[in-house]
Amino acid sequence: MHHKENVLVFGELLLRFSSADEKFINKNHTVSLFPGGSEANVSASLGQLNIPVSYLTCVPDNALAANALTALSELGVDTSKSVLQGSRVGLYFLLSANGLSSGQVVYDRKFSSFSDLEPGVIDWDEMMKDQTWFHWTALTPALNENMAGVCLEALIAARKNGLKISVDLNYRNRLWDFGREPIEIMPELVKYCDVIMGNIWAANKMLGTGIDDALDRNTSVADYHEHSAKTAQEIFNLFPQCKHVANTFRFMDNPTHNLFYGTYHTPDGNYNSKIYETNEVIDRIGSGDAFMAGLIYGIIRFENGTEVIETATGSGYRKLFVKGDFGDGSF
């Protein structure tokens, strides 16, 4: 695809509080604040990769939200489509310095401006004008029933306006607490998507694809490659609109260890990235989002499946060495 791309990304802007010490509340009272949220992270990476990108969120019209949106603008993201209403920016607390030790996350995002959005508020046809790609994630319908409706409305408009659609099957069990399971909501939304990113466990939980319960840290890379190809085939059969499936595989043996590789599948081919391993992780939050941005970039720029998956995996891996939620756009 060599025509002009314009990617529209939709999701909740969050602010992350993380401690400089092992305990979140400690006698030094040192806490760092970063802008984040999966979709904002994807936008930040795309902006730095010089892909024209617009980020659409909903935040209150206040100085804090404006400051976070400015941080994105400075990375080349157009934030002018964002809706300013309500009175709360969603927060999350990382109870360690970098998600390394416990990686324990506490969300404080209920009743945020974004989660109070309802169908009918956003003029999606207007938002989709001149856009060629729409990216969303499973985090949004996980918030409440209304947000699942907003996603559906966006997807119908994106399909009608001829945009390519990608989804990240981000699974967070601390969300999805409004009485519906992902499997009851996600398939209805995913059927609009051309590109599905996630992992074999999230696909099982959200889309109902098969999973082998014997898979674990000691399963061989070859076996994981095979399972990934099988899952992808099931996805192509269940969701005929989809032509691209990518999975990440991340294993951690201790707080600073990361074994990281990716797989990419099209209806006619399976492609595996090289395997990355490090014992020096700086900040693991957002590496899946950097992978997603690399995947979008790869699909836009390259015909070759190997180049696509190497770009995505390289981008996700490099994020492990960047502080904060946003990557630095390198692969």
Side-chain angles (χ1 to χ4, degrees):
M1 292 158 54
H2 300 292
H3 58 279
K4 191 81 173 113
E5 288 299 330
N6 281 297
V7 182
L8 175 64
V9 181
F10 174 61
E12 183 163 19
L13 180 67
L14 295 174
L15 295 176
R16 157 183 154 190
F17 289 88
S18 47
S19 173
D21 293 271
E22 271 317 283
K23 279 182 36 209
F24 186 78
I25 295 174
N26 57 71
K27 56 185 181 302
N28 299 324
H29 299 292
T30 44
V31 168
S32 342
L33 176 61
F34 298 95
S38 174
E39 303 85 358
N41 299 345
V42 170
S43 305
S45 289
L46 289 172
Q48 293 173 91
L49 291 167
N50 296 318
I51 296 279
V53 57
S54 297
Y55 174 62
L56 168 55
T57 191
C58 177
V59 288
D61 188 358
N62 66 28
L64 181 63
N67 189 290
L69 289 175
T70 300
L72 279 167
S73 307
E74 285 168 355
L75 298 176
V77 179
D78 174 1
T79 60
S80 66
K81 292 178 187 290
S82 286
V83 178
L84 304 181
Q85 66 177 38
S87 53
R88 262 207 85 192
V89 178
L91 312 175
Y92 81 99
F93 296 86
L94 188 59
L95 302 190
S96 66
N98 42 22
L100 297 186
S101 47
S102 62
Q104 175 79 5
V105 165
V106 174
Y107 287 114
D108 176 20
R109 59 197 289 185
K110 281 246 195 301
F111 312 112
S112 65
S113 291
F114 184 84
S115 63
D116 285 346
L117 274 173
E118 290 179 0
V121 172
I122 295 171
D123 180 346
W124 286 106
D125 285 323
E126 189 52 42
M127 296 299 178
M128 304 279 174
K129 272 201 182 114
D130 303 323
Q131 304 296 311
T132 60
W133 190 300
F134 178 67
H135 177 66
W136 65 289
T137 82
L139 295 167
T140 303
L143 298 175
N144 57 58
E145 201 92 44
N146 268 337
M147 290 312 298
V150 173
C151 287
L152 181 60
E153 185 182 62
L155 290 163
I156 290 169
R159 176 59 53 239
K160 189 177 91 188
N161 287 283
L163 283 74
K164 196 163 197 151
I165 302 172
S166 60
V167 65
D168 181 340
L169 302 178
N170 269 317
Y171 178 64
R172 302 284 181 278
N173 60 354
R174 285 189 200 83
L175 300 175
W176 294 103
D177 61 357
F178 59 95
R180 302 285 296 279
E181 287 299 312
I183 191 74
E184 299 173 61
I185 287 180
M186 288 300 293
E188 183 54 35
L189 301 174
V190 163
K191 69 177 196 210
Y192 292 92
C193 298
D194 304 280
V195 180
I196 298 173
M197 191 292 250
N199 62 57
I200 56 177
W201 296 276
N204 164 256
K205 216 156 189 57
M206 296 189 168
L207 308 178
T209 51
I211 195 80
D212 179 347
D213 291 329
L215 297 172
D216 63 15
R217 171 69 179 93
N218 300 313
T219 303
S220 72
V221 172
D223 284 351
Y224 273 126
H225 283 164
E226 195 181 325
H227 200 298
S228 185
K230 211 164 87 181
T231 297
Q233 209 39 67
E234 277 188 77
I235 291 174
F236 295 136
N237 294 338
L238 286 167
F239 304 100
Q241 181 66 38
C242 176
K243 297 290 178 265
H244 310 263
V245 170
N247 288 310
T248 55
F249 292 87
R250 283 186 277 181
F251 300 100
M252 297 165 284
D253 293 329
N254 61 55
T256 55
H257 171 264
N258 221 301
L259 175 70
F260 195 102
Y261 57 95
T263 58
Y264 169 63
H265 311 274
T266 63
D268 357 282
N270 302 305
Y271 308 90
N272 305 315
S273 77
K274 58 176 184 274
I275 294 165
Y276 293 92
E277 190 160 14
T278 178
N279 286 302
E280 316 273 322
V281 173
I282 290 171
D283 194 324
R284 74 165 94 252
I285 305 281
S287 65
D289 305 320
F291 178 99
M292 184 74 232
L295 179 68
I296 294 172
Y297 180 92
I299 291 171
I300 288 172
R301 289 276 185 269
F302 308 119
E303 298 295 314
N304 174 319
T306 304
E307 278 184 283
V308 172
I309 191 57
E310 292 299 1
T311 303
T313 309
S315 175
Y317 177 72
R318 303 245 190 302
K319 169 59 194 75
L320 298 171
F321 311 101
V322 183
K323 193 98 194 90
D325 287 30
F326 294 169
D328 62 3
S330 70
F331 50 80

